[in-house]
């Protein structure tokens, strides 16, 4: 009697390096996403995970009054200096189930640069990053602040930021609520793979990391975002989302790691870094730093740039260099 296992075709080894698993320029999936995004953008409303909302947040409406108040209090210069004092945070992260080939994998998490809001930010941070070796750059949205900024300019700012890095596998990005659909093509021309409810993978030594990237759930949520998380191909799964608002569907779909931003950690915080405004519709308790949702570990970046009034208090802007480490199932959550 032949052994069925012996005659079964061996599953092909994952391709090496960074490559797409679904979607991409010119595909039907990308065209469907673009039609939905264009419709949501044209609606003039925020489409949140809890349904449509009126556009324009408290910070937008209150920014001019806040600027005057800070100027009168003599705090505006200090706030602007704080907003330029970017911190490069490093973290070793033990993850149960991480394929051995990715033990030591270095992932740079960059979120919310809002480039044009702080002139020269990309160049000054690039000088800090010059020569740094990373395997992958994960970009979680809000490359620009104002909708009317030429997307080619935002893409060039991103190129300037990343110019001195030594990047092994490549760059993956998702859009934020400040990013128009028109930003996708300039980013991809600049060599960044955008995931718009799509999947990609990095293969190494016959093993792979699978990335699910969704469209922004703060203003452009559609059912396609949780569907993309739910249909993530097999592998060690990592979710890239602009906000922490899809942590539940990502964890349920078996993602082990979730990287996001959007909140800027509060940007203007009480002493101790406690945020006053999170800009989240759900999951407000995941507004900053490292967290755990079920078996999934997440990170909400404080962001590289600043929104609206470009000032920060008790909440320094940050980039995060994460080194992935294989861990046993019994290891506890990150502290
Ligand atoms: Fe942002």
């Amino acid at each position: 009697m032949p052994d069925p296992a012996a005659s079964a075709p061996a599953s092909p080894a994952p391709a090496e390096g960074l490559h797409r698993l679904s979607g991409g320029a010119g595909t039907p999936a990308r065209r469907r996403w673009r039609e939905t995004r264009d419709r949501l953008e044209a609606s003039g409303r925020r489409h949140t995970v809890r349904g449509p909302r009126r556009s324009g947040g408290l910070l937008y409406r209150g920014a001019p009054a806040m600027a005057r108040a800070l100027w009168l209090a003599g705090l505006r210069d200090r706030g602007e200096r704080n907003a330029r004092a970017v911190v490069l945070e490093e973290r070793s992260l033990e993850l149960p189930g991480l394929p051995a080939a990715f033990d030591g994998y270095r992932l740079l998490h960059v979120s919310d640069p809002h480039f044009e809001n702080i002139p020269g930010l990309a160049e000054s941070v690039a000088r800090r990053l010059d020569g740094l070796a990373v395997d992958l750059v994960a970009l979680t949205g809000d490359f620009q602040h104002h909708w009317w900024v030429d997307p080619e300019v935002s893409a060039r700012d991103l190129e300037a930021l990343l110019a001195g890095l030594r990047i092994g596998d490549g760059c993956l990005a998702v859009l934020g609520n400040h990013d128009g659909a028109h930003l996708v093509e300039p980013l991809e021309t600049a060599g960044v793979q955008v995931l718009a409810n799509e999947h990609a993978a990095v293969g190494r030594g016959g093993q792979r990391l699978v990335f699910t990237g969704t469209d922004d759930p703060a203003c452009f949520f559609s059912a396609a975002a949780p569907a993309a998380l739910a249909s993530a191909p097999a592998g060690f799964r990592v979710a890239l989302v602009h906000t922490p608002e899809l942590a539940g569907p990502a964890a349920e779909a078996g993602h082990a790691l979730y990287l996001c931003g959007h909140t800027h950690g509060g940007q203007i915080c009480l002493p101790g870094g406690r945020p006053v405004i999170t800009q989240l519709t759900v999951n407000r308790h995941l507004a900053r730093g490292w967290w755990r949702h079920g078996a999934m570990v997440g990170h909400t970046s404080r962001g590289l740039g600043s929104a609206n009034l470009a000032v920060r208090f008790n909440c320094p802007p940050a980039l995060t260099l994460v080194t992935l480490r294989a861990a046993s199932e019994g290891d506890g959550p990150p502290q």
Side-chain angles (χ1 to χ4, degrees), residues 112 114 141-142 177-178 242 262-264 307:
D112 298 87
H114 294 254
D142 278 3
N177 57 306
H178 287 259
H242 182 54
H262 179 60
T263 65
H264 302 194

Side-chain angles (χ1 to χ4, degrees), residues 115 143-144 146-159 179-187 190:
F115 282 118
F143 300 94
Q144 51 193 162
H146 297 101
W147 209 257
W148 42 259
V149 166
D150 181 349
E152 303 279 350
V153 171
S154 303
R156 280 202 295 276
D157 282 336
L158 181 61
E159 283 185 286
D179 302 321
H182 57 199
L183 191 54
V184 171
E185 196 176 336
L187 288 177

Side-chain angles (χ1 to χ4, degrees), residues 23-210:
T27 62
R30 177 63 67 83
R31 279 197 292 275
R32 281 196 299 277
W33 166 77
R34 182 63 191 253
E35 286 167 12
T36 302
R37 187 42 131 97
D38 286 347
R39 182 168 47 78
L40 297 178
E41 288 183 12
S43 76
R45 307 191 81 191
R46 295 170 54 219
H47 295 266
T48 76
V49 294
R50 289 230 166 122
R53 298 278 193 278
R54 199 159 54 86
S55 259
L58 180 63
L59 279 180
Y60 258 126
R61 296 193 298 277
M66 197 189 306
R68 276 195 300 278
L70 287 173
W71 184 78
L72 287 171
L75 289 173
R76 184 161 176 178
D77 284 353
R78 190 194 302 173
E80 288 180 347
R81 281 197 304 275
N82 292 343
R84 288 179 175 274
V86 177
V87 178
L88 175 61
E89 296 183 335
E90 298 193 35
R91 151 133 227 167
S92 178
L93 183 65
E94 294 194 341
L95 292 168
L98 181 74
F102 292 93
D103 189 31
Y105 199 76
R106 284 157 65 86
L107 202 157
L108 183 67
H109 181 199
V110 181
S111 199
D112 298 87
H114 294 254
F115 282 118
E116 82 277 9
N117 236 10
I118 303 181
L121 180 72
E123 291 76 10
S124 67
V125 176
R127 285 192 287 276
R128 298 261 312 277
L129 298 179
D130 193 38
L132 184 70
V134 302
D135 293 296
L136 188 95
V137 180
L139 301 145
T140 51
D142 278 3
F143 300 94
Q144 51 193 162
H145 185 70
H146 297 101
W147 209 257
W148 42 259
V149 166
D150 181 349
E152 303 279 350
V153 171
S154 303
R156 280 202 295 276
D157 282 336
L158 181 61
E159 283 185 286
L161 176 76
L162 304 179
L165 284 170
R166 290 158 47 214
I167 304 171
D169 287 321
C171 304
L172 290 173
V174 294
L175 298 186
N177 57 306
H178 287 259
D179 302 321
H182 57 199
L183 191 54
V184 171
E185 196 176 336
L187 288 177
E188 295 199 325
T189 301
V192 174
Q193 290 199 33
V194 177
L195 299 180
N197 304 327
E198 297 165 346
H199 307 99
V202 176
R204 180 177 278 197
Q207 299 176 311
R208 71 178 184 178
L209 301 182
V210 170

